[in-house]
Amino acid sequence: TPGLTPRPISISIVNSVSSSIGPFEVIVCLLLNPKLRNGPNLIAGRIFFEPKNSAAGARRIHVVDLDGAFSGEVRNFSAIERVIKNTSAKVEVGGGIRTEREAEKVLALGAEYVILGTSLLVGDTKASAPHATDPKAAQPLARILADRFRGRVLAGLDHRDGVLASRGWVESTGVSLRDAAARVAAWGILESIITSIPSDGALSGLSGDYIRRVSSEIPIRWIVSGGVRDIEDIRLLARLALPNISGVIVGKALYEKKLDLRDALSVGR
């Protein structure tokens, strides 16, 4: 972000930036995992805090707490807060948000949105000893938060071959992508991030057939995630011009320098 003072950072980060391009946004992923201290993620972390580099012009940042995704609880609150305080961009946060209290805390830090994955399908299992007859205890967290924080809850629908996975992608839920999308729409969640797990981080390129098929089955606005390889994928989305695609997430293509963010942000303008 312009004017942001570079500072050393010990967490692993991948840039995250977004800007309007025609009908959708380019959103660049930022990963938090303090256990990964070497390799391209750390380099990208330095780039994120460099004002003249990839974060310039950021409007929306997609933050994923990798530790939280696997452990089942948010682990990197301080890093999340640091990102929020050092950018004027809107920040969305996911990874391990599986209780109402954690969601409240993330939003209180200044995040614009919380992203819910596993918790879409289960109740708030860490709520303090709810009474057995309490109807809230049996409701999925997503529905509770959608009621409390209208417009600030996103659904993270990560799938393999149309079946949702959970807990850092290691467990299959048996729930179809189509059914899950219909369910969250009924709860009042109006936007989802749909990730094709085999494509994520693979630089395999986007499939127009896949995107058209998902768009025809999903009753809400969705953000394309997984597989972006280069500027041609961004141009593909612009050509498709599907009205319910609200954005696309890019990450590895940027930090491996296969995609120039400025080029991506110029598409459709």
Side-chain angles (χ1 to χ4, degrees):
T1 304
L4 186 63
T5 302
R7 60 178 65 186
I9 189 165
S10 62
I11 56 177
S12 160
I13 296 182
V14 178
N15 297 358
S16 183
V17 183
S18 76
S19 179
S20 296
I21 58 169
F24 64 92
E25 291 182 311
V26 172
I27 307 170
V28 186
C29 184
L30 183 148
L31 304 177
L32 303 178
N33 187 336
K35 295 177 182 178
L36 301 177
R37 300 185 182 277
N38 298 304
N41 287 335
L42 184 56
I43 294 171
R46 295 194 185 106
I47 291 172
F48 174 75
F49 286 97
E50 175 56 57
K52 67 182 180 180
N53 226 313
S54 297
R59 295 184 183 177
R60 181 167 166 177
I61 297 175
H62 176 81
V63 175
V64 180
D65 182 346
L66 292 179
D67 288 333
F70 285 98
S71 69
E73 60 184 8
V74 180
R75 292 290 184 87
N76 291 305
F77 281 113
S78 61
I80 292 167
E81 183 178 25
R82 187 169 166 189
V83 171
I84 292 169
K85 287 186 174 180
N86 283 280
T87 181
S88 60
K90 293 181 179 180
V91 177
E92 60 194 42
V93 178
I97 301 175
R98 294 176 191 164
T99 73
E100 192 170 2
R101 184 176 301 174
E102 286 174 326
E104 288 173 345
K105 187 172 180 179
V106 169
L107 291 173
L109 291 177
E112 187 71 18
Y113 310 102
V114 290
I115 305 164
L116 304 178
T118 301
S119 53
L120 290 170
L121 305 173
V122 298
D124 185 345
T125 56
K126 296 180 185 176
S128 38
H131 192 275
T133 59
D134 181 0
K136 179 179 175 181
Q139 293 184 41
L141 178 61
R143 185 170 189 169
I144 296 169
L145 295 182
D147 286 339
R148 286 193 59 191
F149 304 106
R150 287 287 174 180
R152 301 185 68 185
V153 177
L154 306 177
L157 304 180
D158 306 333
H159 72 97
R160 289 187 182 88
D161 299 322
V163 178
L164 261 62
S166 66
R167 302 190 185 280
W169 298 350
V170 299
E171 297 179 9
S172 175
T173 65
V175 177
S176 74
L177 177 61
R178 179 185 295 183
D179 288 347
R183 186 180 304 179
V184 299
W187 294 340
I189 297 175
L190 303 180
E191 188 172 43
S192 63
I193 300 167
I194 298 180
T195 301
S196 171
I197 294 171
S199 300
D200 194 65
L203 298 175
S204 54
L206 298 182
S207 164
D209 290 341
Y210 162 78
I211 292 167
R212 280 188 290 264
R213 183 174 68 253
V214 172
S215 285
S216 69
E217 296 178 353
I218 301 303
I220 56 179
R221 286 161 54 86
W222 68 289
I223 295 168
V224 179
S225 174
V228 171
R229 178 173 51 205
D230 54 32
I231 190 61
E232 292 307 316
D233 292 314
I234 310 302
R235 291 171 177 160
L236 170 64
L237 290 177
R239 289 195 303 271
L240 290 174
L242 296 168
N244 61 335
I245 291 182
S246 55
V248 58
I249 292 176
V250 295
K252 191 171 184 179
L254 277 181
Y255 66 75
E256 293 200 356
K257 302 187 184 302
K258 297 180 183 296
L259 175 67
D260 187 299
L261 183 59
R262 291 169 297 181
D263 291 342
L265 297 177
S266 69
V267 173
R269 289 188 173 182

